[in-house]
Amino acid sequence: MIEADVIGWSKLRLLCNYAESREYVASNPVLGLKAIHIGGKEISRDRVLDLSEITILLNSLSEWKTHDSNKLAVHFVLSCGQRIGAVFSAKWADIDLKEEIWTIPASSEHYFTKSDEERKLPLSSLMIELLTKQREFSGNSEFVWPAVTNPLKVMIKDTLSSVIQRNNFGELDHWTAHDLRRTAVTHMAEMSIPFKVSEKIVGHKMAGVMAVYNRYNYLEEQRDALNQWAKRIDINNLISADLEDVN
């Protein structure tokens, strides 16, 4: 299939996702299909937003023409570095704000975590702040991020991609929701956060002998790393850093 067809496929998928989210159609006819299924190629991406781009993003979020819940979702994915599927399938029953822990279940028909095992992720101060705000929008839904038009349904992960496309007004080079996860991990490496800690944060399994013998959960190290990352992307700190660069 030629490249133009794959691009057309991408637009069709976004259209179908939008139609389902608005309940214009009973079900999404292309749900679960990927470019590779229709002759295209899965492209390995390497896009990472630098700190100046993160500043632009966070400064502009309040002006985005979308529901506040979607704005919070963008900020939350950046703050936690988790997969979009894991964020959007999360339930309030999985979140313990008092203990500051998010229990991320293994993948199932209800959880899209791409993980074989349940794991626990500490909540940073920023993640707690965003979740507290999101609580107001989710109402009585069991889902942390329910569909805006139907709180009984989980939000479709491609919704965020559609929102980003509609609101990225040329200030930043093309980026996607999944790039936020890569951005978080890359910056943690630049901050000298140990590789084994950042790998735990994003839910990657340790390789080889380490996977067998090292069963330590690194919970406190993860918490510290996520709070360091929260401080790094605090908008006041980002603006101060930009002013220092100018001077």
Side-chain angles (χ1 to χ4, degrees), residues 23-217:
E23 297 188 329
Y24 296 148
V25 295
S27 62
N28 188 338
V30 299
L31 184 64
L33 290 178
K34 298 182 179 181
I36 194 170
H37 296 148
I38 59 170
K41 294 181 178 180
E42 293 295 313
I43 300 174
S44 177
R45 292 180 53 79
D46 58 5
R47 179 76 166 96
V48 172
L49 278 68
D50 62 29
L51 290 180
S52 63
E53 291 179 308
I54 293 173
T55 305
I56 293 171
L57 167 60
L58 297 181
N59 259 334
S60 67
L61 262 183
S62 62
E63 305 300 322
W64 280 27
K65 296 180 179 179
T66 187
H67 194 281
D68 284 345
S69 181
N70 293 331
K71 301 174 189 178
L72 287 171
V74 171
H75 201 168
F76 187 78
V77 172
L78 176 64
S79 72
C80 69
Q82 303 306 302
R83 293 183 174 89
I84 310 300
V87 172
F88 283 175
S89 59
K91 299 179 180 180
W92 285 112
D94 308 323
I95 306 289
D96 190 332
L97 292 176
K98 183 178 180 180
E99 296 298 325
E100 302 179 353
I101 289 289
W102 172 14
T103 300
I104 303 177
S107 282
S108 67
E109 61 178 319
H110 302 295
Y111 287 97
F112 317 117
T113 58
K114 292 188 177 181
S115 175
D116 296 331
E117 299 176 342
E118 175 185 287
R119 62 189 178 91
K120 294 186 182 297
L121 182 74
L123 299 172
S124 69
S125 55
L126 174 57
M127 291 163 67
I128 292 173
E129 176 187 338
L130 296 172
L131 287 168
T132 302
K133 291 179 179 178
Q134 176 57 20
R135 189 61 155 163
E136 299 177 17
F137 297 117
S138 64
N140 294 323
S141 176
E142 66 175 323
F143 300 111
V144 179
W145 262 277
V148 171
T149 56
N150 186 346
L152 297 179
K153 288 186 175 182
V154 64
M155 186 181 287
I156 303 167
K157 66 179 183 178
D158 281 345
T159 298
L160 212 55
S161 296
S162 179
V163 167
I164 290 168
Q165 284 195 12
R166 294 200 309 270
N167 288 279
N168 192 31
F169 305 114
E171 293 183 274
L172 302 177
D173 290 340
H174 176 71
W175 60 281
T176 70
H178 189 73
D179 294 335
L180 297 175
R181 173 175 163 87
R182 186 182 306 105
T183 293
V185 175
T186 301
H187 281 281
M188 286 182 192
E190 292 177 353
M191 294 161 60
S192 299
I193 289 171
F195 178 71
K196 58 182 177 290
V197 175
S198 62
E199 287 290 275
K200 279 287 187 180
I201 287 173
V202 296
H204 289 166
K205 283 188 174 182
M206 291 186 179
V209 175
M210 286 287 285
V212 177
Y213 291 103
N214 188 350
R215 309 303 293 177
Y216 181 52
N217 58 29

